[in-house]
Amino acid sequence: MADEKIVSDERLYDYLRTYAKSIKLLAPKFYITEGTNKGDNYVSLVCRVTIEGTAEDGEDKKIQLILKTTRTLDTSEILSSSNVTNMFQREMFFYNEVLPIFKETLKDRGGIIDRFPILYNVSDESGKEILMLENLAPQGFVMAKSKILDYPHLSLALRCLGEFHAYSFITRVTDPTSFEKLKMKEHLFNKRLVDNINNKEKDYSKILTELVLKALANEDKHYSERYQRFVENMLQNMFDAVDGKAAEPYTVVNHGDSWTNNMLFKYDKIFSYVVTHLLS
């Protein structure tokens, strides 16, 4: 995990002061540190937060949270502020709309397995979005030590993703009206993304393409030819991959970014893998 580097963004402290006031926490003190290592999150800044104060009944109170907010991007228009806003809005939509539908649909069918942190509060100011989430670390959840998962970790992660996909199938059958509400317009990989690509991105893409072809130079030409066909149709392949209509009747709500940094594991005393939490 990241070193305890203090975050001094006054915008976050203002947000926390407002939140503390809303829950009637007296004399609050705030401690904000970076929650991930450098390079772990490209679009967002993830922070650990501890709030200490006094509740209305006079009891000392300590709250541990995660804040996820936009970072200042020194990038091209391919990740414009509107794209970042769309990503945060999609995450808010999941917690506020999708997850409640799943819980309602499954409540009389065994319920859903609690694999998601609680969303406590949001700020949806455009370009300055903030999500306040439950910090699962006090419950013993940690990231896997390796970015490449071994079989026990991977099999557990895939099983959890399978359960998550099953919620969509059950909702489709038992509550078609609610299932229609789960369908979301693609917010990132669309024609507008192509329009925003400038010459610099095109040059990067060309360099990466040449590197892959170089790596395949000593392999059977079948691989380089197949890769070349992929490159020639890459944008259309990308659009097709996120087209839910093309997957019918097997369309589900997909995590979309299920790499190791978006999974937390909890271990028992003999180091077996008890449960996985899926993060955004």
Side-chain angles (χ1 to χ4, degrees):
M1 300 298 289
D3 294 332
E4 294 294 308
K5 184 177 179 180
I6 302 297
V7 175
S8 58
D9 188 340
E10 192 60 31
R11 177 172 59 96
L12 299 183
Y13 286 92
D14 287 341
Y15 173 75
L16 290 174
R17 291 186 193 101
T18 300
Y19 175 72
K21 186 176 181 180
S22 72
I23 62 173
K24 299 180 180 180
L25 190 67
L26 306 177
K29 295 180 180 179
F30 309 104
Y31 306 91
I32 309 177
T33 59
E34 290 187 359
T36 55
N37 292 312
K38 187 175 182 180
D40 281 348
N41 292 77
Y42 183 51
V43 174
S44 60
L45 176 66
V46 178
C47 303
R48 293 191 190 91
V49 173
T50 300
I51 307 176
E52 296 178 352
T54 305
E56 283 189 300
D57 60 6
E59 291 291 323
D60 291 338
K61 193 169 184 178
K62 182 177 180 180
I63 306 171
Q64 292 180 289
L65 303 164
I66 293 292
L67 285 188
K68 184 175 181 181
T69 186
T70 55
R71 66 165 70 246
T72 301
L73 293 173
D74 182 18
T75 63
S76 64
E77 289 300 311
I78 195 168
L79 263 181
S80 64
S81 59
S82 62
N83 281 332
V84 173
T85 290
N86 288 339
M87 292 179 187
F88 273 83
Q89 288 177 342
R90 177 61 57 91
E91 192 163 351
M92 294 175 194
F93 180 79
F94 173 78
Y95 282 105
N96 292 328
E97 303 293 337
V98 176
L99 201 52
I101 287 175
F102 284 160
K103 289 181 177 180
E104 179 65 24
T105 302
L106 275 294
K107 71 178 183 180
D108 295 326
R109 298 171 178 84
I112 72 170
I113 299 174
D114 185 14
R115 301 199 188 282
F116 311 95
I118 298 169
L119 178 68
Y120 289 114
N121 196 270
V122 300
S123 171
D124 59 1
E125 182 181 355
S126 181
K128 299 179 180 180
E129 292 82 4
I130 301 174
L131 302 179
M132 178 185 285
L133 296 157
E134 177 185 14
N135 185 350
L136 297 171
Q139 299 179 35
F141 286 94
V142 296
M143 286 195 291
K145 293 181 179 180
S146 173
K147 300 299 182 187
I148 301 176
L149 299 182
D150 58 18
Y151 179 81
H153 283 88
L154 183 59
S155 61
L156 177 58
L158 291 177
R159 188 160 66 248
C160 292
L161 286 170
E163 291 171 358
F164 179 54
H165 294 163
Y167 300 155
S168 294
F169 287 124
I170 295 171
T171 303
R172 176 197 287 270
V173 172
T174 60
D175 190 353
T177 301
S178 291
F179 182 77
E180 288 299 313
K181 297 177 183 178
L182 301 178
K183 296 181 179 179
M184 298 166 274
K185 185 177 180 181
E186 176 52 38
H187 64 302
L188 182 60
F189 297 108
N190 51 40
K191 300 296 183 182
R192 188 172 59 182
L193 179 69
V194 180
D195 295 336
N196 286 335
I197 295 177
N198 59 30
N199 290 332
K200 190 174 182 179
E201 277 79 51
K202 291 178 181 178
D203 290 341
Y204 284 149
S205 179
K206 184 178 179 181
I207 291 171
L208 291 173
T209 299
E210 291 174 350
L211 284 173
V212 174
L213 288 172
K214 185 177 180 180
L216 295 173
N218 295 325
E219 304 294 335
D220 188 291
K221 68 176 184 178
H222 160 76
Y223 297 107
S224 58
E225 290 174 352
R226 184 176 179 182
Y227 177 69
Q228 189 62 53
R229 290 195 300 271
F230 167 78
V231 170
E232 291 169 357
N233 298 286
M234 183 163 54
L235 289 176
Q236 189 58 52
N237 289 336
M238 182 174 66
F239 298 147
D240 291 344
V242 295
D243 182 5
K245 294 178 182 178
E248 291 291 6
Y250 306 108
T251 302
V252 298
V253 175
N254 199 309
H255 186 285
D257 192 20
S258 52
W259 77 301
T260 50
N261 271 26
N262 286 333
M263 300 176 189
L264 295 178
F265 295 86
K266 186 175 182 179
Y267 304 86
D268 62 21
K269 292 182 180 179
I270 58 172
F271 300 103
S272 62
Y273 314 115
V274 179
V275 68
T276 300
H277 261 68
L278 302 176
L279 307 179
S280 52

